[in-house]
Amino acid sequence: MEKTTALLLVLLAVVTVTVVKGATKVTRLAVTGKLRWRLFALLIPTTYLYLLSFWSAFDAINDRFYSSGLLYVAVFLLLLVFSTFIYMHLSESEPSPVLSSFSSSLHLSSFSSFLSFCTPVLTACALVLIAGYLLYLDTSTFRPAKYAYTIPTPCSCSCWDGVFKGRREKGGAKSVYFNVEATTTLLLTLVACMLIAGNAFIVKAVRCIQGKKLRTPLLFAVISTIFPIFYGFWCLFNYYNDRIFHLLHSQVYFFLSEVVVACIACAQMSKEDELNPFLLWFGFSIDAVHLIQSMMDQFIANVLFGKGERHQVSRDIGLLLGNVGAMICIGGALVGYYRNAKGLKDNARGAMWRELRTHALLTIAMSVAHLLLLPLIPGLGG
């Protein structure tokens, strides 16, 4: 891991989140009939150039052509700003200075109105020309002297197919190597899903805080699952990448079950969302089973008896704190829910307490069944 790799990952994250959010909004507006089609028509070529500038920046920086890479990044950011401006005015219910200036310029009532129409058009044309020129320099065999960069000592990797480089030079040190194959597609899809999910959680949390509609215990419940989820994601990434398939089943189980807990908490994080106590009990039971499994598996040997290495001890403590934290936070949300029973009438209060007993018994039954089924999962059965 190096600074260049971190920059490339940031670019990938920005592109993934922006493209998904844009596609989601366009689809929603098109279905509801509120899409401004003229702005959408302008967004299509802008998005194309946006993706091309991203790939050119990625390729140039990865090949250590830093001077041209920084220019591509600058074009990428300009196109990001321009496409964001279009994105913000795609809905007919949102005011659009672009369309209003277009309408007023048709009458040419004044020179200023004419300029207000020409400015966004000329800006778009300038961005297209700059991006097209730089993309031409990147994809053609001609490279001006000011973009020249001495290629480092060639390095070889027998397991790298070099397909994503196309006909261009494949020698020299790089920060990122990847093969064009089904496993790479799966890994990139997994990374994209994690980025999208993280963005969705952050957006919802910020909106709940701004609107003062946040259920604080459930926010911290989601935060508690971040380390277990990231650890599971990183294990899955490495197991697939290293072809260690015999460990996949157990890791898929832990990863998906932690994701379920996070989704349960995130889905009810806003006070506008109806609180479902059964789902909270279900999430509580999952973390309880994870905690018991961790204590029975490696935590006692690695942490309590000191047999684990430093990274194993920190991993086990992090997973333990994540499970315990999620259980405490979900328990706090449940306590707040059942505390409201004091203000209810006798009949309603009695029904709520019966619901509490039923959910508690179901949670115990689910946890016991969960523990009994764990040995059936390959890699957990000893």
Side-chain angles (χ1 to χ4, degrees), residues 358-371:
T358 302
H359 288 165
L361 291 175
L362 283 175
T363 300
I364 295 173
M366 286 188 297
S367 299
V368 172
H370 200 162
L371 287 171

Side-chain angles (χ1 to χ4, degrees), residues 111-132:
F111 183 70
S112 60
S113 63
F114 177 73
L115 286 180
S116 65
F117 164 66
C118 291
T119 299
V121 175
L122 293 176
T123 303
C125 293
L127 289 173
V128 170
L129 290 175
I130 294 173

Side-chain angles (χ1 to χ4, degrees), residues 139-255:
T139 55
S140 66
T141 55
F142 167 73
R143 188 179 293 273
K146 62 180 179 179
Y147 294 131
Y149 182 82
T150 303
I151 299 176
T153 304
C155 58
S156 61
C157 180
S158 59
C159 60
W160 178 44
D161 59 22
V163 173
F164 83 91
K165 294 296 297 178
R167 296 182 178 181
R168 284 172 285 180
E169 172 273 326
K170 297 181 177 62
K174 295 169 178 53
S175 297
V176 177
Y177 299 82
F178 63 87
N179 294 328
V180 179
E181 56 185 10
T183 302
T184 305
T185 303
L186 177 63
L187 295 177
L188 292 177
T189 302
L190 182 62
V191 172
C193 290
M194 290 293 293
L195 292 173
I196 295 167
N199 174 74
F201 162 67
I202 293 173
V203 169
K204 183 168 184 177
V206 171
R207 287 178 178 174
C208 291
I209 294 173
Q210 290 178 339
K212 298 181 180 180
K213 299 176 181 179
L214 179 68
R215 289 191 176 108
T216 306
L218 294 183
L219 170 65
F220 285 102
V222 179
I223 293 175
S224 299
T225 62
I226 290 178
F227 177 76
I229 289 175
F230 178 78
Y231 177 78
F233 153 75
W234 191 239
C235 286
L236 284 179
F237 188 98
N238 282 282
Y239 290 164
Y240 269 110
N241 197 35
D242 296 340
R243 284 22 177 208
I244 309 177
F245 296 119
H246 68 281
L247 295 177
L248 275 177
H249 299 86
S250 59
Q251 201 56 57
V252 167
Y253 155 74
F254 282 113
F255 173 70

